[in-house]
Structures are given as C-alpha cells and as structure tokens.
Amino acid sequence: MSQMFALVLIVLILYIGDVVAARTKAWVPSIFVCAVLFLAGYWTFFPEDIVAVAGIPPVVATALMYLLIVNMGTLLSLQELKAQWKTILIALGGILGVVAFLLSFGTMLFGFQAMVVAVPPLVGGLVSSLIMSEGAADAGLVSLSVFAIVIYVMQGFAGYPLTSVMLKKEGKHLLGQIRSGELKSVDDEGKGTVKEYEGAKLFKKLPEQYHTSYFIFFRLAFTGFLAYFVSTLLEPLVTVSPMVLCLLFGVIGRSIGFLEKQALQKANGFGFAMLGLMLYVLDGLRNATPGMMLDIIYLLVGSILLAVIGMYIFSFIVGKLLKVSKAMAYAISLTAFYGFPADYVITNEVINSLTKDPKEREILTSHMLSPMLVGGFVTVTIVSVILAGVFVNFL
C-alpha cells in the first residue's frame, strides 16, 4: 500500500468518527467508531503497519505525546491541580472496585491466574499490559499472554460509550445550574481569568517577530525533555512515568510564565499532534486477530463486565462520601479503561454536543475536563504500572 493511500484511508476513518459523533450528539463517541472501523480494516485488507506506512511510526507518536501532555498541563493551574484530590480518591476507589470484583467473583469463574493477568491492563495502559503479557509468557501461559494485550485493546469498547453517557448526564445537570444562575459566580470568575494575560509572561517583552511557532515548539519540547530527564534521575529510587511529569511540568511551566495557556494551539500544531496520537492508539488494534478473539471471548467479556460493575459500585460509594455526582464519579473511574487522549476527546465531544454557547462550553470544560485528565493519569499512568509490578510476581 502506498503512503498517501494509507494516509487517505486512516484520516477518512477519523473523519467518519467525527461525523457519527456529531450526528449522534456524542452518544456514540468518535473514538469508538474509529476503533470498530480500524478493527474491520485489520481483519480484511489493512496492512499490519498501515499507521507507520502512512507516516506516523511509534517514535513520532511518542514525540507528539510529550508535546500534547505538556500542552494539557497548560490547561490546568496549580490551584486546580490541588483541588483535584477528590478526583484522585474516586479514581483509586474505582480501581479498588475492579481489583475486588475480579479477584473474588472473577477467580471463582475464570481462575486466579487469569484474573491476575486481567487486573493491571484493565485499570491501565500499554505498559502494564506488556508487563503482564511478558510475565505470562515467561510463566508458559501463552493464551494468557495474548489475553493481556487483547483486554487492553478491547476494554475501550466498554469504556467509550459508558463515559459518553455519564458525561452527557453530568453536562446536562451542570447546564441546568448555569442557566438557572446557580453557577453564575463560577462564570464570573472564569471571565476574570480569561481577561488575564494568557501568553508566556517571562517573554512578554519579547518583540512579536521573535515569538514564532518554532519558539513555542522549542519551549514545549524543552519542558518535555526536562520531564524525561527528571524521571531518569528518579529511576534508582522510584519509577515515575515521564508522561506524568510532563503534565506536572506543563502546569509549572504555565504558572511561572515559561509556557502560555494552550501553547500547542497557538503554535498551530494541536490538530496534527492529536491526529498522530489517535492513530498510534488505534494502531494497537492490529494485535487483535479474529482467531485470538474467539479463543478468549468468554474470558474477555466476563472480565470487562465484572470490572465495569465493581468500578460503578465503588466509585458511587466514594463519590457519595465526597459529595461528587454519581455520573461524574463513574466517568472519572472509567478513564482507567483508556486514559489519554480518549478522555480529552470524549469530554470535548460531549461538551460541544451539549451547547453552542462559548461561555457555557467554557464553564463545562472547567468543571469536567480537569477531573477527566487527572483521573486518566492517576489510573492509567501511575497505579496500573505499580499494580503490574506487584501482580506479575503471582504468575
């Protein structure tokens, strides 16, 4: 397949996803549609490396991920980050629900080893899946080694639509409060923040002709490099994902005036970066062959169903204690099924489908996006890797 034909095909799929999301008012998220179409493509005529052929090999996607996550950090202030302690507790509660249900009911139905392999990928991302897959292979459990990858690939099919439903419910509730005047003060605060200077304060006096897109890219890349460098320095003591540090350094970078808010958008690079990252995520579906799916379908469906139920019950309890709505608490927990960038994409799709008013969108974003991003990082990037490191010893 030629590079340009591969590029046309996969970008068309992303566009179809957008169209379906718009037509269904985000009841069917674009990432769910894209995942189904990619799976169909891999099972028919797509070459296995179609994303790399199109020009987005993993090394490019990784670079884009660094830039995007630093950019996400610029959306949050240190104040907002500190305010997300409830989000962290809810996300941990959801994970506890998955662990409790899978190690109890799941062990009775499918066996202890299968559930040990299932837990870290179900509450995490690619790294925890690979750890469990390699651990199962080393233990001679070949089918469970495959299962660890497939469950990572397939869990989004449960997570995407459920998250969309929960966020729409929460968004409608918030819109009611905004329109009744209950959230008016938040709106006023938002207006005050918007009117503040949103550029990089350290370079405020820099002549306009030197403030180019490349200068913004340089600062984003430098911040990403610092995150990577610090993670390597911490390595002997504790393993911290550079991606988590990218978010934190993005927040700090904006707070000290080194980065502007939404820096990547101002450099006109956000759309392409999201395109590359979405393709990288969907590229993971190439590992799920029809035969593989048939062999483990019962185990796969059962594990995901138990995880969804356990997550709902525990996030509801923690949310109730912390006075966070049932819908928002469950949506935060569900980020464990996919993490970034799906949490960002689904939240924005839902907000855009609920209202056309820029002011209302801004308030909804301030209430819904930060918890979703923080929830995704806590579950996928931090806790799942720790769980994988512990659980792999039981195989």
Side-chain angles (χ1 to χ4, degrees):
M1 187 178 282
S2 71
Q3 179 180 5
M4 289 315 295
F5 184 53
L7 187 61
V8 165
L9 273 178
I10 57 183
V11 175
L12 175 62
I13 285 177
L14 294 180
Y15 178 63
I16 291 169
D18 276 350
V19 170
V20 173
R23 293 288 295 170
T24 61
K25 296 192 183 297
W27 284 111
V28 182
S30 66
I31 197 163
F32 176 76
V33 176
C34 295
V36 171
L37 292 175
F38 258 80
L39 203 55
Y42 283 126
W43 289 2
T44 50
F45 68 99
F46 278 12
E48 200 178 279
D49 58 347
I50 187 169
V51 174
V53 168
I56 313 285
V59 68
V60 173
T62 303
L64 294 175
M65 197 182 295
Y66 272 89
L67 297 179
L68 273 163
I69 296 175
V70 170
N71 186 65
M72 291 301 155
T74 69
L75 294 171
L76 304 167
S77 66
L78 284 169
Q79 210 91 10
E80 287 168 327
L81 209 54
K82 273 190 262 175
Q84 293 303 323
W85 63 273
K86 287 185 179 180
T87 297
I88 293 166
L89 290 179
I90 290 166
L92 292 174
I95 288 174
L96 189 60
V98 174
V99 174
F101 266 63
L102 261 63
L103 292 186
S104 55
F105 300 113
T107 299
M108 285 190 279
L109 292 169
F110 308 112
F112 180 69
Q113 283 184 321
M115 292 302 98
V116 164
V117 170
V119 169
L122 265 174
V123 296
L126 187 58
V127 176
S128 53
S129 303
L130 291 173
I131 292 170
M132 297 314 294
S133 180
E134 285 167 19
D138 292 344
L141 307 165
V142 182
S143 64
L144 289 182
S145 173
V146 171
F147 173 60
I149 297 296
V150 174
I151 201 163
Y152 157 70
V153 169
M154 300 306 291
Q155 61 193 351
F157 285 94
Y160 303 148
L162 273 174
T163 304
S164 189
V165 170
M166 291 300 117
L167 287 178
K168 279 181 88 74
K169 195 173 175 185
E170 176 69 6
K172 283 176 180 173
H173 171 66
L174 288 172
L175 270 180
Q177 290 185 319
I178 294 164
R179 288 165 185 172
S180 69
E182 213 177 314
L183 283 183
K184 199 169 180 227
S185 59
V186 177
D187 186 20
D188 291 339
E189 279 168 27
K191 268 162 65 182
T193 344
V194 172
K195 285 183 180 175
E196 283 178 14
Y197 179 70
E198 287 188 1
K201 290 173 187 171
L202 288 179
F203 308 102
K204 204 172 181 178
K205 292 180 180 173
L206 189 74
E208 192 62 35
Q209 64 264 37
Y210 302 124
H211 202 83
T212 66
S213 295
Y214 294 136
F215 184 49
I216 299 175
F217 277 121
F218 162 71
R219 285 179 284 124
L220 284 166
F222 182 72
T223 307
F225 164 71
L226 281 180
Y228 167 77
F229 183 64
V230 171
S231 76
T232 59
L233 288 180
L234 293 171
E235 191 66 43
L237 303 168
V238 62
T239 303
V240 182
S241 165
M243 299 304 171
V244 175
L245 292 178
C246 276
L247 186 75
L248 181 62
F249 281 32
V251 174
I252 295 167
R254 180 191 162 194
S255 300
I256 64 171
F258 183 70
L259 293 169
E260 45 273 272
K261 186 179 181 181
Q262 297 187 322
L264 205 51
Q265 283 90 328
K266 289 182 170 72
N268 299 312
F270 183 76
F272 178 74
M274 282 301 294
L275 169 79
L277 194 57
M278 286 289 291
L279 292 176
Y280 175 64
V281 171
L282 293 164
D283 187 41
L285 290 167
R286 64 180 171 171
N287 299 311
T289 63
M292 192 189 291
M293 297 298 296
L294 283 171
D295 286 345
I296 54 175
I297 190 75
Y298 175 60
L299 178 58
L300 184 70
V301 172
S303 301
I304 291 175
L305 196 60
L306 284 172
V308 164
I309 296 166
M311 193 177 273
Y312 176 77
I313 292 169
F314 277 65
S315 66
F316 171 72
I317 293 167
V318 179
K320 190 93 170 160
L321 292 171
L322 298 175
K323 296 185 177 157
V324 174
S325 75
K326 181 170 63 176
M328 195 67 221
Y330 195 31
I332 289 166
S333 292
L334 284 165
T335 58
F337 282 165
Y338 43 79
F340 180 82
D343 49 8
Y344 181 86
V345 173
I346 295 170
T347 309
N348 272 298
E349 274 180 2
V350 168
I351 290 167
N352 292 336
S353 74
L354 288 172
T355 177
K356 301 284 179 232
D357 185 291
K359 216 181 288 180
E360 289 181 345
R361 282 182 177 178
E362 190 185 328
I363 301 168
L364 289 178
T365 301
S366 70
H367 277 80
M368 292 162 69
L369 186 59
S370 299
M372 291 298 286
L373 289 176
V374 173
F377 277 102
V378 168
T379 53
V380 172
T381 322
I382 306 171
V383 181
S384 69
V385 177
I386 296 167
L387 277 177
V390 174
F391 276 41
V392 76
N393 298 312
F394 296 128
L395 293 174

